[in-house]
Amino acid sequence: MELTTQGGFSTRVFGPRPRAGEPATVLVHGLGLSGRYFVPLARRLAERGATVLVPDLPGNGRSRAAAGRAPSPGDHAEALARWHLRLALGPVTLVANSVGCQVAAALAAEQPHTVSRLVLIGPALDPDVPAPHQVARLVRDVPREPPRLYGLAVRDYLVTGPARCAVEFHHALREAAGPFTDRLAGVRAPTLVIRGAGDPLASPAWTRRLASLTGDGRTAEIAGAAHAAHYSAPDATATLIEKFAADSPGGLV
């Protein structure tokens, strides 16, 4: 694993180094977190030959100083587009979790040349669910996740800061009420929406709805996993992504 900085981003690199013009797999974390909880999945994908890039979004993790204010999902997507340009990447397989799915949808819709395939894991937030209920669902998810994820998440939230996390949550709630689904309706890249069978935040109906909005969407479920299915079940998640990529033009790279 190598850590590099491009345009203010701190990026973990797994597998072959990225090359100009060549595609890669990019993993986008959720609100207030860093890319650390994507490491198990990144390693599984890299073991199978993929170039995997795991950036910490501006204002989060090792990129905490790269943003002076709390960015919205749309702001993060614009920053990712600039990061993609600086690295001179080809179209990527873009994989995101939770509120990171809003970021990924914005990038795929507004910069379609950057994304060849889109994978959304446990997408949040359902605009039909009131904010207090969303928080209650997150609390319900905690005992369903591996205990080792707790310490990792708490450390990341403390680095990002409670105030910034609160503002980013407000941004995400606002974008969930319209821009998120509107952007998904403009996505033409093949899209896979994954949920853990025990995920209280991303319901089956919500994931089916999101998949149906895209031009080429499908869903999958991972038994025994919850909201962070990529962390608790990295092998199963990697297999789903690889199968999805194999069924899509270009394969997984």
Side-chain angles (χ1 to χ4, degrees):
M1 182 176 69
E2 177 184 341
L3 200 63
T4 186
T5 300
Q6 292 285 344
F9 277 81
S10 181
T11 305
R12 294 167 177 84
V13 181
F14 299 81
R17 291 183 61 85
R19 292 178 295 178
E22 294 295 323
T25 300
V26 176
L27 311 183
V28 179
H29 62 77
L31 188 152
L33 296 165
S34 74
R36 291 193 302 158
Y37 77 147
F38 263 119
V39 168
L41 176 62
R43 286 175 173 159
R44 300 309 191 280
L45 294 172
E47 286 169 0
R48 298 160 187 181
T51 294
V52 185
L53 306 177
V54 190
D56 288 357
L57 296 176
N60 296 265
R62 293 176 184 260
S63 300
R64 175 66 174 79
R69 59 182 178 82
S72 69
D75 294 333
H76 279 313
E78 291 176 4
L80 270 181
R82 294 190 296 269
W83 171 85
H84 182 283
L85 181 62
R86 289 188 183 100
L87 286 177
L89 299 173
V92 303
T93 296
L94 189 61
V95 181
N97 171 243
S98 195
V99 171
C101 295
Q102 294 186 1
V103 177
L107 182 65
E110 295 167 11
Q111 304 287 340
H113 64 283
T114 67
V115 179
S116 59
R117 286 168 297 277
L118 180 63
V119 180
L120 308 179
I121 303 171
L125 304 154
D126 184 341
D128 293 332
V129 178
H133 293 181
Q134 298 277 7
V135 175
R137 289 184 176 191
L138 181 60
V139 172
R140 282 170 49 201
D141 181 65
V142 171
R144 304 181 186 190
E145 302 290 355
R148 62 186 179 276
L149 181 58
Y150 306 159
L152 186 155
V154 168
R155 288 193 297 273
D156 282 348
Y157 289 138
L158 289 175
V159 169
T160 299
R164 182 170 291 206
C165 286
V167 174
E168 289 199 18
F169 182 63
H170 175 75
H171 288 324
L173 285 173
R174 185 181 61 213
E175 296 216 3
F180 179 36
T181 51
D182 291 345
R183 286 163 174 157
L184 276 180
V187 171
R188 291 295 171 262
T191 301
L192 173 65
V193 186
I194 300 173
R195 72 178 295 271
D199 186 351
L201 285 90
S203 70
W206 173 238
T207 54
R208 287 194 299 268
R209 177 187 170 193
L210 296 181
S212 71
L213 289 172
T214 68
D216 180 8
R218 64 204 82 173
T219 63
E221 190 170 272
I222 298 177
H227 190 54
H230 62 282
Y231 186 86
S232 59
D235 290 322
T237 305
T239 297
L240 281 174
I241 293 171
E242 289 171 333
K243 184 177 185 300
F244 168 63
D247 291 340
S248 303
L252 179 65
V253 288

